[in-house]
Amino acid sequence: ASSSGGLVLKESNSEVVSDHKYFVPKRYAVRDSLLYGKLSHIFSLYSQKHFWDELLALCSESSPEDLAHVSQSCMAEQRIYIYEALQTFARRVKFFASAGKSTKKVVASTLCDEEIAEIIMHLPVDEALLVIVALSYGRERRIMALLDPKKSAKIVAQRGYVPGTVGRLMSREFFAFQADWTIGDAAAFIREHPEIDFLLRVFILNKIGAICGCVPSRALLIYPVNVPLKRVMRSISQLVTPDSPIEEVIEIFDRYKDTDVPVVDSNGILLGVITYEDVLDSIEEKADKTIAYISGTEKEIEGETPLLQGVFSRAPWLIITLCAGLLNAGNLSRFPAKYRILLHFVPMINGMSGNVGLQCSTVLVRGIAAGLVPERSTLPVIFREIAIGASAGLLFGFCAGCLIMFLQKLFCVYGAVEIYPWELGLVVGIGLSGACLFATTLGVLFPLFFEKVGVDPAVASGPIVTAINDVTSTAMYFLFAQQMASLFFGV
């Protein structure tokens, strides 16, 4: 807080811009591809004398943010070379701030404690915290001891908030003024601090520091300099606390199209501001975790993963799939040998029922994420999705049955068997319809169940549900097939 009454929280002496890799426009993707190609070519010249000169030239003409993004796909040693090729301290700070967690760890392992401490001193608290958490415990303590006490205290305070909450990501850089200040006073104060990011609005505080409104930045340009801020002040309808989950802020940004949200304590005292840019990293991290769950890795997606670590991280999910396969084999072995022709259609049954169930679960997960599935009235949603899946199963079961009967009768595609073509088509068609109905029910109920127990509903599209669906759809197919065989063929 300044002696003149203007509140400005300054955390950085250099501009740090975060780079985000999701929702990349095509032109950026092409540019990244070209940059990665150039880096790959230069690193292929590692043993030649002009290697370092070419790397210096490329890094001098490329932005540190782009290099940090592309380096995620490089080997660990290559990331270190890229960092060293950024010859000015300011460019190295930007690279470090924009790099992913794995790159931070790799680069930090080559720097002394004093260098890392100097970098942290030039980063905002939220960015500095990302660097700190990437370090080992022992090294973290040594570096924290080298920091300015005020900076260290702010980092410790921000780290006290639970990961995934607003307090962990909020920025402490903003402008806030007393209500009796004039437009001219505020504008002059802002001009004296050009290094602070200028948001689309400044905040108005009462005498105890509680937020009471805001003034659009545009008002500082169009109103006379002698107009008090309280005359043009607007109310703020959306506030969050440091303990609020990030998802709440994302919902505010999406629903109200705000670009920043004030963070206050229980007394309304302004603690910080969380901007749309602050939550982009969280959106990216959540997308990483969701994709990891869906793919069955449950690990952070990085450009470089050790071989054994990658194998062991995926092994538990693969064991589940293996067990499901063994159960399927047991089901197949129990079917009468006389009608083993029906086994030929198991891959089709699994594929069709799996995709029908996955479509239902994906639509439901998307609806849950978008807030389109009301908590207290989920039954209509359940019945609707089951009806859609069941109708699709009946449609494709009928089509499959007719097509199988036609192919078997005219061309004997499935060989000479004791089952008549119409019987074969009927058994497979009804079995496919029943398997799709059961898979649809699983695909609808599992996401809702996971949401109720506090697990990410995206898990419903992961290997566990896929394995369960494979076993149950095969079992349902054979249950229907055996019943039909018993009814029509006396088996």
Side-chain angles (χ1 to χ4, degrees):
S2 70
S3 58
S4 58
L7 178 66
V8 54
L9 299 184
K10 170 69 176 70
E11 304 297 340
S12 175
N13 294 323
S14 61
E15 180 185 5
V16 178
V17 182
S18 296
D19 186 63
H20 307 282
K21 62 186 179 183
Y22 281 92
F23 316 114
V24 180
K26 184 177 180 181
R27 64 189 181 96
Y28 287 104
V30 172
R31 188 175 68 184
D32 290 344
S33 179
L34 291 174
L35 180 57
Y36 180 75
K38 292 178 181 178
L39 285 171
S40 299
H41 172 70
I42 291 174
F43 284 119
S44 69
L45 306 175
Y46 177 74
S47 59
Q48 301 184 23
K49 292 183 179 180
H50 58 281
F51 156 73
W52 185 246
D53 293 334
E54 291 200 17
L55 183 60
L56 286 174
L58 179 62
C59 290
S60 65
E61 67 185 27
S62 303
S63 72
E65 294 86 356
D66 289 339
L67 290 169
H69 176 79
V70 174
S71 68
Q72 290 294 104
S73 302
C74 298
M75 302 295 291
E77 185 180 358
Q78 295 173 348
R79 301 180 196 185
I80 297 171
Y81 278 119
I82 293 172
Y83 175 81
E84 292 177 347
L86 297 166
Q87 295 184 301
T88 65
F89 177 74
R91 289 171 63 80
R92 289 184 175 183
V93 170
K94 289 183 180 181
F95 177 89
F96 211 90
S98 303
K101 187 184 297 183
S102 60
T103 301
K104 285 184 172 74
K105 289 181 180 179
V106 168
V107 175
S109 66
T110 67
L111 303 179
C112 65
D113 294 345
E114 289 75 15
E115 288 180 282
I116 299 179
E118 188 177 3
I119 289 175
I120 291 175
M121 286 300 299
H122 286 76
L123 292 176
V125 170
D126 54 331
E127 293 283 357
L129 185 56
L130 295 177
V131 178
I132 290 294
V133 297
L135 303 173
S136 63
Y137 177 72
R139 196 167 193 204
E140 173 192 322
R141 293 186 62 183
R142 295 197 305 270
I143 292 172
M144 290 292 287
L146 295 173
L147 298 178
D148 177 78
K150 291 183 179 179
K151 184 82 168 189
S152 178
K154 291 175 181 177
I155 292 175
V156 171
Q158 191 136 346
R159 191 172 190 177
Y161 296 112
V162 178
T165 60
V166 169
R168 198 65 179 261
L169 292 178
M170 68 179 179
S171 172
R172 298 174 183 267
E173 291 188 3
F174 56 86
F175 288 105
F177 305 101
Q178 297 293 325
D180 56 356
W181 274 42
T182 66
I183 294 287
D185 294 334
F189 190 84
I190 292 171
R191 284 195 296 270
E192 293 171 2
H193 299 83
E195 72 279 3
I196 302 299
D197 289 336
F198 192 37
L199 304 178
L200 293 182
R201 55 185 177 176
V202 297
F203 302 105
I204 309 302
L205 310 176
N206 60 22
K207 294 181 179 180
I208 64 171
I211 190 168
C212 55
C214 68
V215 172
S217 301
R218 182 171 176 269
L220 302 180
L221 301 175
I222 62 175
Y223 285 100
V225 295
N226 60 345
V227 174
L229 292 174
K230 60 185 176 184
R231 290 277 302 275
V232 294
M233 181 178 68
R234 299 180 182 178
S235 61
I236 296 179
S237 57
Q238 305 302 323
L239 298 170
V240 293
T241 64
D243 298 324
S244 301
I246 291 298
E247 288 76 13
E248 182 178 334
V249 181
I250 295 174
E251 177 65 22
I252 291 174
F253 288 146
D254 179 60
R255 182 171 299 190
Y256 301 103
K257 310 307 177 187
D258 289 337
T259 57
D260 54 74
V261 180
V263 184
V264 300
D265 63 10
S266 57
N267 297 318
I269 304 298
L270 183 60
L271 301 177
V273 179
I274 187 160
T275 65
Y276 188 76
E277 184 180 87
D278 292 328
V279 302
L280 281 178
D281 282 330
S282 293
I283 296 173
E284 175 184 324
E285 183 179 353
K286 188 174 181 64
D288 275 348
K289 289 181 179 179
T290 300
I291 294 171
Y293 270 124
I294 292 173
S295 61
T297 59
E298 201 180 6
K299 293 292 181 182
E300 197 172 317
I301 298 174
E302 297 180 353
E304 177 188 0
T305 302
L307 177 62
L308 290 179
Q309 180 184 339
V311 172
F312 286 118
S313 67
R314 305 179 190 189
W317 303 96
L318 298 177
I319 290 173
I320 294 172
T321 307
L322 176 63
C323 294
L326 294 176
L327 288 174
N328 266 339
N331 286 334
L332 298 177
S333 65
R334 294 177 179 275
F335 206 73
K338 187 176 182 180
Y339 299 104
R340 289 289 171 85
I341 180 64
L342 298 177
L343 301 183
H344 299 170
F345 302 98
V346 169
M348 179 189 71
I349 300 294
N350 283 343
M352 284 296 300
S353 62
N355 279 299
V356 170
L358 183 59
Q359 286 176 343
C360 292
S361 66
T362 301
V363 170
L364 198 58
V365 168
R366 185 178 62 184
I368 292 172
L372 302 178
V373 179
E375 260 185 67
R376 300 183 180 179
S377 55
T378 56
L379 283 180
V381 178
I382 293 175
F383 290 141
R384 179 177 179 276
E385 288 302 322
I386 291 179
I388 292 175
S391 299
L394 288 172
L395 173 63
F396 285 101
F398 175 78
C399 293
C402 292
L403 187 59
I404 289 170
M405 180 182 66
F406 174 77
L407 293 175
Q408 181 67 2
K409 184 174 182 63
L410 294 185
F411 306 106
C412 199
V413 171
Y414 306 106
V417 293
E418 299 182 17
I419 303 177
Y420 290 112
W422 71 268
E423 297 170 337
L424 180 63
L426 183 63
V427 170
V428 176
I430 293 178
L432 176 59
S433 299
C436 287
L437 174 61
F438 199 78
T440 299
T441 306
L442 284 180
V444 171
L445 295 182
F446 266 109
L448 295 173
F449 169 75
F450 282 129
E451 188 197 19
K452 292 294 183 184
V453 298
V455 178
D456 189 345
V459 176
S461 300
I464 292 180
V465 178
T466 302
I468 293 174
N469 179 72
D470 286 345
V471 174
T472 53
S473 63
T474 304
M476 289 300 299
Y477 168 58
F478 279 119
L479 177 63
F480 278 104
Q482 285 181 333
Q483 293 300 320
M484 294 298 296
S486 176
L487 179 63
F488 288 103
F489 321 133
V491 177

